Amino acid sequence: MHTLNRNRHDVVIVGGRVAGSAAAMLLARLGHDVVVVDQASFPSDTVSTHSIARSGVVQLRRWGLLDAVLDSGTPAIRQVTFHAGGESVSRTLKHKAGVDLVVAPRRYVLDTILATAAQRAGADVRHGVTVTGVRRDRRGLVAGVYGHDRGGAPIDMSARYVIGADGLGSRVARSVGATINEARPSGGATQYAYYAGIPWSGMELFVAERSFAGVFPTHDGQACIWVCTPSADARAVRRGTGSRAEAFGELLERSAPQLAERLRHARRTSPVRGMLRQPNQVRQASGPGWALVGDAGYHRDAVTAHGISDAFRDAELLATAVDQALDAGSEESTALACYQQQRDHALREIFEITCRLAAYPAVPEFIELQKQLSAAIDKEAAELASWPIPGECLLATA
Ligand SMILES: Cc1cc2nc3c(=O)[nH]c(=O)nc-3n(C[C@H](O)[C@H](O)[C@H](O)COP(=O)(O)OP(=O)(O)OC[C@H]3O[C@@H](n4cnc5c(N)ncnc54)[C@H](O)[C@@H]3O)c2cc1C
């Protein structure tokens, strides 16, 4: 029996973090009736480090949210130091695509800024709501979602479109039977913890055989310290040590001994978190009455730290497509097929680089791929900066 909230909305979005809240904000700015639900309470963290590449920072700036992110106290990062083979090279970020900095805000801060922006734009944002399935109409088209609130009361929402922004394990993707169109080997692990008590000089990246480690300075004088390795290596080290924290320390010692030495004077302020065997996969992006965005539709190893930027880009592509389908009278199937085509084209170059990096080639090739990544991000950032901003009139009067 699903009886509550049966009003028909233009769009129901399941999942309210970087993909879901961004899509909700843009659709609401475009004038649509949007509900976004998330089973989590906000502010809350999720398993993720959180460096936002230039392309993602461009999106925050275009959407009018970069100041809020900087005002939250996360440092503007303008220096990146690359350590490899005993040498260190520092560079200052150039002013490109309208930005001269990157940021690494904690997810409980970033995701809340986005959820608040969605709400301010007019979206109905409901936390503590778990979706358990999609509802179909008599023709078999997806026409809403059902689930329950935190107290167990049933929820049933009817919508013209259902968007799954519910992450890698997407319930929406499973409910609609979205196919995995491309699956590549998934051998990479990323683990991280927060440290305080020593100074951080911008972002640092350490390349060594079969590992990539680094420093993302974040709020409150802390830094996210992370290490990416093949999962097999992470598992082997864990088996030989007494705890996850000890294993993390040993991996850092192997990957970035200078950093491990500096951290002896710092204080770890969190447990070690992370993910093993990160999938590299692209799912079908849409079908009749539904679409996927963010990790629900496309997941890649965190070695390129590009998931948040992917989510921002694809949220805008999807919001534009759904707006066309709802308003401009264009055929739904054409607009959503166009979303899939644009998403698959946009993700391609960095996805290929990610898959190659996640195989941990020898150090010279790894460094060459990092250079290719940097160029690909700059190219993407320039392209995003040239897009018209959805709902710009509303932004100007906000
Ligand atoms: C270890 C690690 C490190 C990373 N580091 C970086 C990095 O440095 N930079 C970067 O750009 N990216 C990074 N990423 C990738 C990034 O975290 C993801 O790409 C990003 O979180 C995807 O956002 P999303 O909104 O699609 O999904 P998520 O962040 O997974 O959010 C999904 C939301 O959906 C909700 N939800 C799920 N199921 C339901 C349901 N049934 N009903 C209601 N709500 C539901 C969840 O509560 C959740 O809040 C990293 C990932 C990992 C694992």
Side-chain angles (χ1 to χ4, degrees):
M1 281 274 291
H2 304 291
T3 49
L4 302 182
N5 301 317
R6 292 212 70 129
N7 302 335
R8 191 166 199 253
H9 304 281
D10 290 338
V11 184
V12 170
I13 300 179
V14 184
R17 292 193 184 272
V18 288
S21 282
M25 175 191 72
L26 295 172
L27 281 162
R29 285 179 180 176
L30 288 162
H32 301 296
D33 166 15
V34 186
V35 183
V36 52
V37 298
D38 198 301
Q39 64 195 6
S41 305
F42 281 58
S44 59
D45 242 327
T46 183
V47 174
S48 175
T49 67
H50 34 79
S51 158
I52 307 182
R54 187 190 291 273
S55 35
V57 177
V58 165
Q59 293 297 74
L60 289 171
R61 183 186 63 79
R62 291 174 61 246
W63 298 341
L65 300 179
L66 184 55
D67 286 347
V69 170
L70 292 169
D71 289 348
S72 74
T74 196
I77 300 171
R78 293 197 165 84
Q79 180 178 300
V80 180
T81 304
F82 209 81
H83 307 267
E87 288 187 12
S88 301
V89 179
S90 291
R91 65 183 174 90
T92 303
L93 288 186
K94 294 200 175 100
H95 196 285
K96 287 185 192 166
V99 299
D100 66 349
L101 56 89
V102 292
V103 280
R106 290 291 297 261
R107 287 295 298 270
Y108 67 84
V109 175
L110 177 69
D111 297 357
T112 305
I113 288 172
L114 286 157
T116 305
Q119 210 158 20
R120 284 209 181 117
D124 178 357
V125 179
R126 304 186 200 175
H127 294 146
V129 173
T130 300
V131 165
T132 51
V134 301
R135 201 157 46 69
R136 294 177 187 270
D137 66 13
R138 274 193 297 268
R139 295 166 299 165
L141 305 186
V142 169
V145 297
Y146 57 86
H148 55 81
D149 70 13
R150 201 166 279 132
I155 298 283
D156 188 334
M157 279 179 279
S158 174
R160 181 71 192 79
Y161 292 103
V162 171
I163 294 179
D166 48 346
L168 177 60
S170 175
R171 167 76 69 161
V172 174
R174 275 180 286 141
S175 301
V176 299
T179 52
I180 293 180
N181 289 344
E182 187 173 356
R184 307 281 281 274
S186 53
T190 300
Q191 299 179 76
Y192 64 96
Y194 295 90
Y195 286 77
I198 60 171
W200 317 104
S201 55
M203 183 183 293
E204 293 185 65
L205 304 169
F206 297 80
V207 181
E209 283 306 328
R210 294 173 67 83
S211 81
F212 187 41
V215 178
F216 295 155
T218 188
H219 302 268
D220 305 319
Q222 301 198 34
C224 175
I225 306 294
W226 50 271
V227 58
C228 298
T229 59
S231 295
D233 297 22
R235 283 210 175 95
V237 170
R238 177 69 184 89
R239 275 195 296 272
T241 48
S243 69
R244 207 168 177 186
E246 204 184 317
F248 182 68
E250 186 165 330
L251 277 178
L252 270 180
E253 190 68 58
R254 288 184 189 183
S255 313
Q258 305 153 261
L259 176 61
E261 174 56 32
R262 273 156 56 198
L263 292 176
R264 282 188 231 296
H265 308 284
R267 192 174 72 258
R268 185 164 55 81
T269 58
S270 75
V272 175
R273 297 197 177 88
M275 190 174 179
L276 299 182
R277 300 199 57 76
Q278 300 168 89
N280 288 303
Q281 66 183 32
V282 185
R283 276 202 184 107
Q284 181 186 355
S286 64
W290 62 269
L292 302 176
V293 68
D295 280 7
Y298 163 47
H299 193 275
R300 86 307 311 131
D301 195 288
V303 69
T304 38
H306 205 260
I308 297 168
S309 304
D310 286 326
F312 287 169
R313 180 198 62 223
D314 295 344
E316 184 164 333
L317 288 174
L318 178 58
T320 306
V322 170
D323 176 57
Q324 278 166 9
L326 282 166
D327 260 7
S330 71
E331 273 286 310
E332 169 196 324
S333 54
T334 314
L336 291 187
C338 186
Y339 162 60
Q340 169 147 336
Q341 253 175 25
Q342 290 176 327
R343 181 202 67 170
D344 289 357
H345 176 72
L347 65 80
R348 181 53 47 193
E349 188 173 3
I350 293 177
F351 185 43
E352 294 298 336
I353 294 171
T354 306
C355 293
R356 289 177 64 191
L357 283 167
Y360 293 91
V363 166
E365 187 180 341
F366 196 96
I367 292 172
E368 175 53 33
L369 287 165
Q370 284 294 328
K371 289 181 186 158
Q372 290 178 21
L373 174 65
S374 179
I377 290 172
D378 282 353
K379 193 167 87 185
E380 178 174 69
E383 180 163 351
L384 291 168
S386 74
W387 287 2
I389 303 172
E392 193 169 19
C393 320
L394 196 148
L395 190 59
T397 54

